[in-house]
Amino acid sequence: MRRLVHPSRKTLRRGYQTLVLLSVLALAPMTWAWLGSAPHRLVAGTDGWTARVPVAEAALVLGAGLAGGRPTPMLAARLDLAAELYRAGRVRALLLSGDNSRRDYDEPTAMRDYLLARGVPGEVVVLDHAGFDTWDSCVRARQVFGARRLTVVTQAFHLPRAVTLCRTAGLEAFGVGDDSTRQWAAATYVYATRELVATGKALADAVLLRAEPVFPGPPETSLRAILARAR
């Protein structure tokens, strides 16, 4: 019979240390996002929540997909929150940032149409057709549209990453999140799990690489024109 070979204490110790190191590396991006955003975000839905949102130039609404050419339920929830912020006087403009990489897929226009159908005036809406991911949306909000102070609107599970990325991009950003667990619990848990990987990429893009957006320009004046009229 062959004798079983047991790993030495040194091998076990190194294996344990490797596992600890991998765990720390995996959690580092989430820690960065949570700590970087903790004082600058809230979950909407409680009575009087809009009053706790600092006044800002605009709400940056991040895309979340289309279904049949219309906003998905999660994206519609984001747009509803942005409309509430506008009506409450917490923002003066709405910057809708999404994917328009194909002619037959236009998130920002669908987002605008949703808001117009609910009474939001078109003259306070600005479209960013090159918001291909959260980092691109944040960088373009500052570099292309000239924003300085924004309220980021998304789901609560996405809020730490979104707010931290926008603040890293140089924006004075606060975040408002929709508590999607109340309506879409299963989908929320799936997306929240994906945040582990997405936040790792975010840390690399924003801190390690300082990546440029897919389309970094040219500058647009539409947001600044709305803000100038609103003074």
Side-chain angles (χ1 to χ4, degrees), residues 45-97:
T46 57
D47 291 341
W49 68 269
T50 56
R52 301 198 299 276
V53 180
V55 174
E57 296 171 336
L60 172 61
V61 187
L62 302 172
L66 302 179
R70 298 179 180 179
T72 61
M74 283 195 179
L75 180 51
R78 300 180 186 189
L79 294 165
D80 290 339
L81 293 183
E84 284 192 64
L85 290 171
Y86 173 74
R87 294 185 184 112
R90 311 314 286 178
V91 298
R92 291 180 285 162
L94 304 177
L95 176 55
L96 314 179
S97 184

Side-chain angles (χ1 to χ4, degrees), residues 18 24 58 62-64 66 99 121 131-133 137 175 179-180 223 228:
T18 300
V24 170
L62 302 172
L66 302 179
D99 186 350
F132 300 130
D133 64 18
S137 294
D179 181 11
S180 54
L223 178 61

Side-chain angles (χ1 to χ4, degrees), residues 45-231:
T46 57
D47 291 341
W49 68 269
T50 56
R52 301 198 299 276
V53 180
V55 174
E57 296 171 336
L60 172 61
V61 187
L62 302 172
L66 302 179
R70 298 179 180 179
T72 61
M74 283 195 179
L75 180 51
R78 300 180 186 189
L79 294 165
D80 290 339
L81 293 183
E84 284 192 64
L85 290 171
Y86 173 74
R87 294 185 184 112
R90 311 314 286 178
V91 298
R92 291 180 285 162
L94 304 177
L95 176 55
L96 314 179
S97 184
D99 186 350
N100 183 204
S101 57
R102 306 190 315 268
R103 184 174 297 179
D104 61 343
Y105 189 86
D106 187 348
E107 267 191 299
T109 298
M111 294 161 74
R112 179 198 63 193
D113 292 346
Y114 180 93
L115 289 170
L116 295 181
R118 284 150 184 80
V120 175
E123 58 266 24
V124 303
V125 176
V126 178
L127 306 187
D128 176 10
H129 292 276
F132 300 130
D133 64 18
T134 305
W135 175 240
D136 279 21
S137 294
C138 293
V139 174
R140 284 177 55 82
R142 177 171 168 77
Q143 293 184 359
V144 175
F145 294 94
R148 291 295 178 268
R149 188 173 187 179
L150 289 176
T151 298
V152 188
V153 183
T154 183
Q155 263 71 46
F157 64 79
H158 182 212
L159 210 52
R161 175 163 62 97
V163 172
T164 299
L165 282 175
C166 280
R167 296 186 72 84
T168 303
L171 292 160
E172 186 178 345
F174 190 86
V176 172
D178 164 63
D179 181 11
S180 54
T181 58
R182 292 179 296 181
Q183 292 179 281
W184 310 290
T188 297
Y189 295 138
V190 171
Y191 288 129
T193 301
R194 288 171 54 187
E195 281 295 301
L196 290 169
V197 176
T199 306
K201 179 183 180 298
L203 178 62
D205 285 343
V207 177
L208 302 180
L209 302 176
R210 297 297 297 181
E212 285 292 311
V214 175
F215 292 106
E220 296 192 16
T221 61
S222 48
L223 178 61
R224 289 191 290 272
I226 292 172
L227 298 177
R229 292 197 303 267
R231 287 174 183 169

